[in-house]
Amino acid sequence: EDQVTQSPEALRLQEGESSSLNCSYTVSGLRGLFWYRQDPGKGPEFLFTLYSAGEEKEKERLKATLTKKESFLHITAPKPEDSATYLCAAPTQGGSEKLVFGKGTKLTVNP
Amino acid sequence: NAGVTQTPKFQVLKTGQSMTLQCAQDMNHNSMYWYRQDPGMGLRLIYYSASEGTTDKGEVPNGYNVSRLNKREFSLRLESAAPSQTSVYFCASTRDGRSYEQYFGPGTRLTVT
């Protein structure tokens, strides 16, 4: 069964305190790993797509990396506005058009 | 561009009532999706449509029906609402099934009493 597992469930940081979120997957024949940001009361917003091990993508204070078994979302010197739930997702196997989502990591950055 | 729009934003139903959630996108996307999001469960796919006139079941389709009215619109119908269908419902679209960069609507918060 295709699975995407995120850890930790919740993370509290002080402003400027760097950390990483983890996303591990058990989808065979991975055809991409996707990161989304979700603010309270809103729909998820696409951040990054990673296609192959070793690939990295950056956006402001966020950097996503991919290995053969997991992905990391590194947050460097976070600010309170980075507070959100971060979701990762992977396409289900078999060439389908469906994504399976992890349950998310709720990040809180205190000023 | 409005992106993906959903109506209504909030709805309260009594058990057994029916309703239709509406979704429209103005990005000329081919694929559209309906998800539900529950605390501790994450986003789960209910139904999706790869193109106009086609629909397919996702992970949790029981109790729901969908209609891909045209390329822009994809509706979700609850024929006889149950308390277990209390959730936040999101519609999403993507250019085609291989892009996976899904654009989400703002959600509909549904409570069934």
Side-chain angles (χ1 to χ4, degrees), chain B residues 20-68:
Chain B
T20 299
L21 281 65
Q22 306 286 355
C23 173
Q25 51 88 12
D26 62 1
M27 296 173 284
N28 200 35
H29 284 171
N30 289 311
S31 299
M32 298 185 73
Y33 306 80
W34 276 106
Y35 292 91
R36 61 178 289 173
Q37 188 173 40
D38 303 290
M41 298 297 293
L43 277 165
R44 292 182 291 169
L45 182 65
I46 304 172
Y47 271 95
Y48 75 101
S49 170
S51 61
E52 184 179 348
T54 68
T55 61
D56 204 352
K57 295 179 181 178
E59 182 185 354
V60 288
N62 291 343
Y64 305 95
N65 286 301
V66 290
S67 295
R68 183 74 182 268

Side-chain angles (χ1 to χ4, degrees), chain A residues 32-109:
Chain A
L33 191 290
F34 304 85
W35 283 97
Y36 288 81
R37 169 188 171 129
Q38 185 174 23
D39 292 303
K42 296 190 176 181
E45 178 184 350
F46 172 79
L47 287 173
F48 302 112
T49 306
L50 300 165
Y51 285 108
S52 55
E55 188 175 359
E56 298 182 350
K57 293 274 181 73
E58 287 189 64
K59 181 178 181 179
E60 296 181 358
R61 294 173 293 282
L62 301 177
K63 183 168 78 173
T65 62
L66 183 65
T67 72
K68 287 186 177 179
K69 293 185 177 181
E70 56 194 347
S71 178
F72 295 93
L73 186 64
H74 307 278
I75 303 174
T76 302
K79 298 182 177 182
E81 52 262 43
D82 295 321
S83 297
T85 295
Y86 291 87
L87 305 171
C88 72
T92 57
Q93 63 181 339
S96 80
E97 302 190 12
K98 297 177 278 191
L99 287 177
V100 58
F101 281 83
K103 295 179 182 179
T105 294
K106 183 177 181 180
L107 174 67
T108 304
V109 182

